Amino acid sequence: MPFQNIEKKWQDRWQEFGLFKTTENPGKDKFYLLEMFAYPSGDVHMGHFRNYSIGDAVWRFMRMRGKKMLHPFGWDAFGLPAEQAAIKRGIHPSKWTEGNITTGRETMKALGLSYDWDREVVTCRKDYYKWTQWVFLKLFERGLAYQKKAMVNWCPECNTVLANEQVIDGCCWRHDETPVQRKTLEQWFFKITDYAGRLLNDLEKLDWPHSVVTMQRNWIGRSEGANIDFEIVETGDRLPIFTTRPDTVYGVTFMAIAPEAESMRKLVDICPNRERVKEYIATVAARSEIERTAEGREKDGVDTGLHVRNPFNGNEVSLFVADYVLAGYGSGAVMAVPAHDQRDFEFARKYEIPIRVVIEPENVRLDPDEMTEAYIDPGIMTGSGPFDGRFSRKAIPAIIEYGAEKGFSKKAIQYKLRDWLLSRQRYWGAPIPVVHCEKCGVVPIPEEDLPVELPFVKDFLPKGRSPLEDVPEFMNTTCPRCGSPARRDPDTMDTFVCSSWYHLRYTDANNPDEAFSKAEADKWLPVDLYIGGIEHATGHLLYFRFITKVLHDMGYLSADEPAKKLFNHGMVCDENGEIMSKSKGNVISPIDVVKKHGVDVSRTTILFFAPADHEISWSEDGIKGAERFLTRVEKMIPEGLDSSKTTDSVSGLSNRDAELYRNLNRTVKAVTEDVEKMSYNTAIARMMEFINFIEPDELKNSAIGFLVADKMARILTPFAPHLAEELNFRLGFDSFVVERDWPEFDPDAVGFETVEIGVQIMGKLRGTINIPPDSSQEIALEKAMAGEKIRRNIEGKKIVKVIYVPGRILNIITG
């Protein structure tokens, strides 16, 4: 039958009945299911279809398991993806975005997905971004939002700054062939570093993929060591550094500082070699962090002419400005110990800087003139004053304590994580809710005056500065504190600010007075299952944890983590192996496939391709198999099956019906276990095996025909919900199939009975084995070879042929 004929019918009935609406008071049975919302930079494609089909399968299964579901959807509508797509087509972002939302919503409804559209959020609309601005004000109030001049990542293609998390292999996350540049600009930041320790430690609470946990752990980058105050000889000023190797401090022979470090900017004009230093800083500004820190690349730098005193031994060493040092780590300066750090070693050899050995392997003397690489392992300390002769690792606490007693060092923990840069020099985003007043400085907009509305402008193209600066009616305002003339902040917020709290808005999506009420949020949080791509591991998935923790600390939430469990779906590629992306123009619309084959066939195909967390290449080759499978299921279950033909045991059944009963229960058990693990491809394979086991028209005459049809319709629901609904109706049930319970299996019927078969070698009986009657030849042979007697009779001989009759005989021919 053409499956499209029944799909619209059941979608209309689900809609009419309000099947997907959220229960208001879920209690202990709550289940908050969330897929990452979409950028409306085009219509939904097959990659989205796979992600949302996985979520829909979970919804139907958990609903049949008695859970009260929250399953909302929305649109990540502000930011670069939508704006770039609009610019490419010469359309205003608001028109382009709203048009795509309308198209995308209709597409998703046509796919029969189980979203509660009453809770839809659209981040570019005032009723949402008003509360994005409120989130900003809460962080500002907490001292976690601040503005400073900083060296930033700049994408010349996007004409805006990028957060560190949006730079991938030195290129822009939106333009993977555009190298990121470095610029110094006044920017807004969220102080995510204040939460580094908790973000790291609380990973232990989460049921997230190991790969994502590892990526976040490495991105946060916890290091234990010491802060040591060196002294700039010419000024007497402190030059603090962080090191994980205080055991090497007596081996410092030069100091290195990042070209963009704040302390370097203060020193540049007093450097004896200031002209060379300024020229070098300008040169390095064009290099990416990836390039500067790449292994194997020759490091370079310039002697500033300044000197630094080591507080541990009083030695004075030269201060170099060097490109391999980054301002984002510690103070932006490092103590350089060439004998025990490979980068320092290469730099010292290049610039003929002395090398001083202070750690040696036991009973081995190291000659710095003969060393070809740094000695980086632990060993026995030498040339280290009071610590000579001690094992280096064990001496670290004593070295830190020694410095602490003298007032120039202390134990410290350092994180690689940097503060979140959130301001963007683009039009399409939520305006930053502050004004700049000459008298009062930076003043937040009062909450009652939100939202600060994004004005409609014709010229929204990026210019390297915010287009809003050219809109005087937006920029010119009055200070809410003193009433003097003031200017609005021209930048807009990064789209990741919008998505950092959307999971909270869904819990109370239509509240006009609050971003969400604590009572509603506490009913549903944390998210029980979050489905999305691993590409967000160190971006969105870190940011929304941070914002959740901040709002928890401020008393707005009881939960301090946004999602208990995370599932990373695999990407969908085109036939050339390229990941489908609207920006690449290689997407396939599911609507085209659905019009031709139907929703159920299309989603069964995409769920059957591979494990749900594996990448797949979309091809219509798999559709025929799914179509044959669903056609056989539909024909197998005719109308008018006798509902009395059911049983809960194998007792009294004919041999064939007993075999059918056992296979049914094994299938229900296997599918249940696979669906619980989200192993949808193997669940579908198991159902296909079962359908192939059933003879045509067998259920009409079977004593358990109705039982088989009923359980088959229910376990089909996560994969082909429209057909499952139709079959459920044929069987005479008035309620929707998801309102019924997921089927149980008979534990007494899922085991396999065994039979004894003879094992022959060259036609002579040599023993017996007990195996299930439908065992394969490989299993039978493996079982036979496990017996000592059989193995002894074959030892030293070659098996040339095996004759196997399942359930009867195994004959091994040797030669």
Side-chain angles (χ1 to χ4, degrees), residues 123 162 191-192 294 330 381 466 503 540 676 696 724 801:
T123 64
L162 304 174
K191 207 169 185 181
I192 192 172
M381 296 183 68
S466 173
H503 59 295
H540 162 68
E676 286 174 339
K801 188 177 181 181

Side-chain angles (χ1 to χ4, degrees), residues 524-773:
W524 292 105
L525 290 172
V527 173
D528 293 279
L529 177 62
Y530 195 32
I531 302 173
I534 195 172
E535 70 273 17
H536 296 291
T538 57
H540 162 68
L541 289 172
L542 192 62
Y543 297 149
F544 93 139
R545 292 184 61 216
F546 165 59
I547 293 299
T548 299
K549 288 183 181 298
V550 172
L551 295 176
H552 164 81
D553 291 352
M554 297 186 77
Y556 292 104
L557 298 170
S558 294
D560 72 342
E561 283 288 347
K564 287 192 291 189
K565 183 172 183 177
L566 172 70
F567 180 82
N568 291 139
H569 64 81
M571 305 298 281
V572 176
C573 302
D574 62 19
E575 292 182 343
N576 298 317
E578 287 284 323
I579 292 173
M580 283 191 191
S581 166
K582 286 170 277 193
S583 61
K584 292 180 180 177
N586 64 341
V587 300
I588 297 171
S589 170
I591 286 298
D592 297 336
V593 181
V594 163
K595 283 180 179 176
K596 188 175 178 182
H597 302 285
V599 176
D600 285 352
V601 169
S602 302
R603 66 185 269 160
T604 300
T605 301
I606 207 163
L607 292 173
F608 184 56
F609 258 119
D613 58 350
H614 286 208
E615 185 178 284
I616 63 170
S617 290
W618 170 255
S619 161
E620 292 200 18
D621 292 347
I623 284 180
K624 289 182 180 178
E627 206 158 35
R628 279 196 302 269
F629 163 60
L630 295 181
T631 299
R632 287 198 65 182
V633 173
E634 189 272 330
K635 289 181 177 178
M636 180 191 84
I637 303 177
E639 293 186 21
L641 281 178
D642 185 353
S643 61
S644 67
K645 292 186 174 183
T646 184
T647 183
D648 58 2
S649 99
V650 74
S651 176
L653 296 177
S654 68
N655 288 341
R656 173 60 186 174
D657 278 347
E659 194 176 10
L660 180 61
Y661 181 81
R662 281 191 289 269
N663 208 333
L664 169 67
N665 281 280
R666 290 171 195 146
T667 300
V668 172
K669 179 178 185 291
V671 170
T672 301
E673 290 170 351
D674 283 341
V675 173
E676 286 174 339
K677 295 182 293 186
M678 301 177 71
S679 299
Y680 300 126
N681 61 319
T682 52
I684 294 169
R686 188 66 187 88
M687 287 188 288
M688 287 177 170
E689 289 176 14
F690 180 60
I691 292 302
N692 289 336
F693 176 79
I694 300 173
E695 300 292 337
D697 299 325
E698 180 175 6
L699 298 190
K700 291 180 181 178
N701 304 312
S702 170
I704 58 168
F706 186 87
L707 176 72
V708 172
D710 176 30
K711 291 198 174 186
M712 189 65 206
R714 284 186 279 166
I715 64 174
L716 187 67
T717 302
F719 313 100
H722 305 84
L723 177 57
E725 202 73 82
E726 182 73 12
L727 299 178
N728 184 66
F729 180 72
R730 276 186 197 176
L731 294 171
F733 293 101
D734 295 328
S735 58
F736 292 112
V737 67
V738 294
E739 294 183 308
R740 301 180 60 210
D741 290 339
W742 184 262
E744 300 289 339
F745 59 85
D746 179 357
D748 295 328
V750 296
F752 287 89
E753 293 183 354
T754 62
V755 294
E756 183 178 79
I757 67 171
V759 179
Q760 297 178 350
I761 298 174
M762 302 296 290
K764 293 183 178 181
L765 187 66
R766 298 297 185 185
T768 60
I769 57 173
N770 287 286
I771 56 174

Side-chain angles (χ1 to χ4, degrees), residues 30-267:
K30 75 94 178 174
F31 194 95
Y32 186 176
L33 170 64
L34 186 59
E35 295 98 69
M36 292 181 184
F37 59 179
Y39 296 129
S41 48
D43 195 7
V44 173
H45 60 66
M46 292 305 292
H48 297 115
F49 180 47
R50 186 189 196 196
N51 184 17
Y52 306 148
S53 294
I54 291 168
D56 188 75
V58 173
W59 184 89
R60 293 176 191 277
F61 177 66
M62 297 309 296
R63 175 75 183 264
M64 295 176 78
R65 280 288 183 86
K67 294 297 184 182
K68 306 293 188 278
M69 306 296 293
L70 169 58
H71 191 207
F73 197 76
W75 308 92
D76 197 3
F78 263 151
L80 284 174
E83 187 176 8
Q84 287 292 100
I87 290 171
K88 186 177 180 179
R89 292 161 178 81
I91 303 173
H92 195 277
S94 61
K95 183 178 180 181
W96 172 252
T97 301
E98 290 291 350
N100 283 328
I101 288 170
T102 299
T103 301
R105 186 190 303 112
E106 290 309 308
T107 296
M108 294 173 78
K109 286 184 175 180
L111 298 175
L113 298 169
S114 51
Y115 294 123
D116 181 354
W117 289 103
D118 290 346
R119 293 182 182 241
E120 179 185 33
V121 301
V122 180
T123 64
C124 68
R125 293 179 184 168
K126 288 184 291 184
D127 64 350
Y128 186 90
Y129 74 74
K130 168 183 180 176
W131 301 113
T132 301
Q133 293 171 342
W134 174 86
V135 170
F136 177 95
L137 292 180
K138 292 294 110 181
L139 271 76
F140 186 87
E141 173 187 319
R142 195 88 170 170
L144 295 170
Y146 66 93
Q147 191 177 32
K148 74 169 184 178
K149 188 166 283 190
M151 183 71 74
V152 298
N153 305 303
W154 181 269
C155 175
E157 188 81 18
C158 296
N159 264 317
T160 191
V161 298
L162 304 174
N164 290 330
E165 292 81 358
Q166 293 168 322
V167 180
I168 301 170
D169 295 332
C171 294
C172 173
W173 69 298
R174 297 294 299 171
H175 305 97
D176 55 15
E177 295 183 0
T178 303
V180 168
Q181 300 171 356
R182 302 285 285 168
K183 281 189 176 185
T184 300
L185 294 172
E186 191 85 16
Q187 296 292 288
W188 281 97
F189 294 83
F190 282 156
K191 207 169 185 181
I192 192 172
T193 51
D194 275 13
Y195 281 73
R198 284 171 60 189
L199 288 167
L200 181 65
N201 295 335
D202 288 353
L203 287 169
E204 301 298 328
K205 298 180 180 179
L206 306 178
D207 182 9
W208 284 22
H210 177 71
S211 55
V212 175
V213 171
T214 299
M215 290 168 76
Q216 287 206 1
R217 184 174 285 122
N218 292 340
W219 188 260
I220 296 167
R222 184 181 190 273
S223 299
E224 290 188 12
N227 285 331
I228 302 175
D229 289 335
F230 286 73
E231 180 186 352
I232 298 172
V233 174
E234 286 77 5
T235 66
D237 292 335
R238 287 186 319 117
L239 183 62
I241 65 97
F242 171 80
T243 179
T244 59
R245 294 293 308 273
D247 53 331
T248 66
V249 69
Y250 286 88
V252 173
T253 59
F254 70 98
M255 300 287 287
I257 189 168
E260 69 276 20
E262 191 173 337
S263 50
M264 186 66 240
R265 287 201 294 270
K266 295 175 182 176
L267 292 172

Side-chain angles (χ1 to χ4, degrees), residues 364-430:
V364 175
R365 300 289 293 177
L366 296 178
D367 183 345
D369 294 331
E370 295 181 359
M371 292 174 70
T372 57
E373 62 182 6
Y375 176 72
I376 61 174
D377 294 326
I380 305 303
M381 296 183 68
T382 182
S384 300
F387 304 102
D388 281 0
R390 299 185 65 170
F391 186 71
S392 59
R393 287 274 172 83
K394 292 182 178 179
I396 287 175
I399 295 167
I400 298 172
E401 182 61 28
Y402 176 83
E405 289 174 359
K406 294 184 176 295
F408 51 70
S409 80
K410 62 180 179 180
K411 186 176 180 179
I413 293 172
Q414 182 75 39
Y415 295 94
K416 190 173 70 174
L417 180 67
R418 300 275 64 87
D419 281 341
W420 174 8
L421 194 164
L422 66 107
S423 46
R424 297 291 179 268
Q425 293 67 49
R426 300 288 293 235
Y427 166 70
W428 193 238

